[in-house]
């Protein structure tokens, strides 16, 4: 899907991927993003995870290509953001949360400042499989060596439905982050909660959290 497709989804309210509160795995494992620092959140939408990370003492920089989503985040937080430019990209910010508006692949390290850690909830599974290596390379470019990436994704039987979201299994994580330390933190069956995926043909859905040390 290109940015136009995502803009269409946001405009029509097709955002079943959005969670109304901070992700459960994030709340359980956020302490692993230590020491506190600057946390990158790719494809952040209007996620309440941004607010949660800020509440844990981090400076948070999201990246989002759909400006409607960025406006919705601050509106729902009851905040009026300031605007500035970081390189070629507008940035909306309030408190310790800033969101770069633009394509994740176009963002440079100087646009987000050096990031100590990253948090990916459903970003990698939204990226077309053919772009996954490029996405991971960009993460490595933007996060300091030795930084930690807390990654939350889904797996399912891709013979039963097509993405996005695209299934992301243990072997995929190990291959994509070859050369990095990868720890699987937890996994749970979320089939019953995944009504929209079951409607599309998925017979089982599992959510898992991983910690990658770059």
């Amino acid at each position: 899907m290109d940015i136009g497709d995502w803009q269409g989804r946001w405009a029509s309210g097709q955002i079943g991927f959005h969670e109304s509160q901070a992700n459960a795995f994030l709340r359980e494992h956020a302490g692993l993003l230590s020491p506190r620092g600057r946390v990158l959140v790719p494809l952040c939408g209007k996620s309440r995870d941004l607010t949660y990370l800020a509440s844990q003492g981090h400076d948070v920089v999201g990246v989002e290509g759909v400006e409607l989503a960025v406006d919705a985040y601050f509106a729902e937080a009851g905040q009026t953001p300031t605007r500035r430019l970081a390189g070629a990209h507008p940035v909306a910010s309030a408190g310790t949360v800033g969101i770069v508006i633009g394509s994740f692949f176009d963002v440079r390290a100087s646009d987000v400042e050096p990031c100590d850690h990253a948090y990916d909830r459903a970003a990698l599974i939204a990226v077309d499989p053919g772009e996954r290596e490029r996405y991971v390379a960009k993460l490595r470019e933007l996060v300091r060596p030795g930084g930690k990436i807390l990654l939350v994704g889904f797996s399912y039987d891709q013979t039963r439905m097509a993405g996005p979201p695209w299934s992301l299994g243990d072997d995929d994580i190990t291959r994509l982050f070859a050369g990095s330390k990868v720890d699987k933190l937890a996994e749970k069956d979320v089939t019953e909660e995944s009504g929209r995926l079951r409607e599309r043909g998925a017979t089982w859905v599992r959510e898992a959290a991983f910690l990658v040390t770059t």
Side-chain angles (χ1 to χ4, degrees):
M1 291 175 63
D2 61 25
I3 190 63
D5 295 321
W6 288 113
Q7 289 171 337
R9 285 196 173 203
W10 278 95
S12 61
Q14 298 178 57
I15 54 171
F17 48 82
H18 174 71
E19 294 184 316
S20 59
Q21 59 183 349
N23 179 265
F25 281 148
L26 173 62
R27 287 183 273 121
E28 183 176 355
H29 299 293
L32 297 175
L33 297 177
S34 64
R36 290 186 180 92
R38 189 166 180 82
V39 179
L40 175 71
V41 185
L43 284 64
C44 64
K46 61 173 184 175
S47 175
R48 307 320 303 166
D49 295 339
L50 300 168
T51 304
Y52 184 83
L53 286 163
S55 76
Q56 301 304 296
H58 296 288
D59 290 328
V60 183
V61 54
V63 179
E64 175 54 53
V66 181
E67 190 164 5
L68 178 62
V70 177
D71 292 341
Y73 169 77
F74 289 107
E76 292 178 12
Q79 298 173 317
T80 301
T82 59
R83 301 267 178 164
R84 63 181 176 85
L85 280 178
H89 304 289
V91 180
S93 60
T96 57
V97 175
I99 303 178
V100 178
I101 304 170
S103 167
F104 180 65
F105 291 121
D106 293 338
V107 171
R108 301 171 300 176
S110 58
D111 298 333
V112 295
E113 301 179 17
C115 292
D116 302 290
H117 308 296
Y119 169 67
D120 176 324
R121 184 259 160 190
L124 184 50
I125 64 173
V127 174
D128 287 344
E131 295 286 330
R132 283 178 169 175
E133 285 82 4
R134 183 183 176 204
Y135 173 91
V136 170
K138 177 59 70 171
L139 268 184
R140 292 185 187 276
E141 175 188 333
L142 300 180
V143 176
R144 297 179 189 272
K148 297 180 178 67
I149 302 168
L150 178 59
L151 190 150
V152 178
F154 295 91
S155 59
Y156 59 86
D157 182 354
Q158 282 200 163
T159 66
R160 303 302 298 264
M161 65 163 276
W166 305 96
S167 181
L168 187 70
D170 296 12
D171 291 345
D172 297 315
I173 296 292
T174 300
R175 176 180 57 82
L176 289 166
F177 290 96
S180 296
K181 184 175 184 292
V182 178
D183 295 303
K184 187 173 185 178
L185 303 174
E187 184 177 66
K188 63 182 178 182
D189 188 307
V190 293
T191 307
E192 291 304 313
E193 300 99 302
S194 304
R196 67 187 182 90
L197 299 186
R198 286 188 286 112
E199 289 173 2
R200 291 170 55 190
T203 54
W204 57 266
V205 184
R206 298 188 184 99
E207 183 179 31
F210 301 83
L211 185 71
V212 179
T213 304
T214 60

